[in-house]
Amino acid sequence: MAEEPISENLTGSRKRPHSPSEHCIENSQDGKEKRNIDERTSKDYYFDSYAHHAIHEEMLKDEIRTRTYQSAILDNPHIFRDKIVLDVGCGTAVLAMFAVQAGAKHCYAIDCSSIIDQAKLIVQKNGFSESITLIKGKVEEIELPVDSVDIVVSEWMGYFLLYESMLDTVIFARDKWLIKDGIIFPDKAIMYISALEDAAVKRDRIDFWNDVYGFDMTPIKQIALCEPVVDVVDAKAIVTDAVPIVELDILTCRKEDASFASDFVLCAQRNDFINGFCAHFECAFTQIHKPIGFSTSPFSNYTHW
């Protein structure tokens, strides 16, 4: 029996909010006065955590993530040439700028976080002001100046793929604006599960509560057993194969598909203990000539997930 569910990757220096479109401090429609960046307080950053540059620095420095998007876009100029693109949850607008570099006629980039104020300056400094329109607000509430778009790009994935992800927002944008037979980057996502042995983690995070300065704190141990951990997993700790538990086609999936139950069977690859489960995901860009993607597997290169 697994004693601690452990999901693969980086410890939580960054916790993703539900979505940039769900955490908006400023909204011109409700008359709130725009805050100057120098006037921001810790409370502002708490409710608008995507406003802090460190989150975007971490994502941009994730070369597996960023260069995969860059290659998928720039290596396929025939897909983007003269097309209208929508960037959902644009952050620093790096994907929007890639799209314009690839030949997009215009890109509409939406984000509710205050980082969009810096994104406007970035777009201007890099000479894209005429071809990128940045819109601040919730995707579900704003209106585009066009009736439809040809391509939707978004880095919507959360920890455990779906935890605090923007999938709902991408689906909304897809259904409202994407043309028939339009393109979504990325368009496929698969989540896998495997089992691991990690006695050190079990000792440090679970057994720790047995004796804390001489006190029995095992009631917290029961909580710790039920909570997933976001952490880096050594590939050598994996003791079984990895099997898919959910597959999403972003072109056709529904909001309800993000709530799922999955039966699975794992095959042991060595005689060992099992201390927990490890989840990782893969995303793919399959609507291009040479499909590419990336994985957050313990057997793959590090990502910020």
Side-chain angles (χ1 to χ4, degrees), residues 95 120 161 188 190 203 212 266 273 282 291 294:
L95 301 186
K120 291 177 181 178
L161 182 62
K188 297 289 191 299
I190 304 175
R203 181 175 61 252
V212 183
L266 297 176
F273 294 98
E282 296 176 353
F294 62 85

Side-chain angles (χ1 to χ4, degrees), residues 92-93 97 117-130 132 134:
T92 57
M97 291 188 287
D117 298 326
Q118 279 64 59
K120 291 177 181 178
L121 298 176
I122 292 169
V123 165
Q124 182 180 5
K125 279 185 172 293
N126 287 277
F128 294 114
S129 295
E130 297 298 318
I132 297 177
L134 292 116

Side-chain angles (χ1 to χ4, degrees), residues 142-161:
I142 63 98
E143 292 295 334
L144 294 180
V146 293
D147 294 330
S148 62
V149 300
D150 304 294
I151 301 170
V152 172
V153 298
S154 180
E155 194 272 83
W156 56 267
M157 299 78 72
Y159 296 125
F160 200 67
L161 182 62

Side-chain angles (χ1 to χ4, degrees), residues 183-201:
I183 291 173
I184 298 181
F185 275 33
D187 61 294
K188 297 289 191 299
I190 304 175
M191 184 155 53
Y192 296 85
I193 195 165
S194 56
L196 58 81
E197 183 280 326
D198 196 331
V201 170

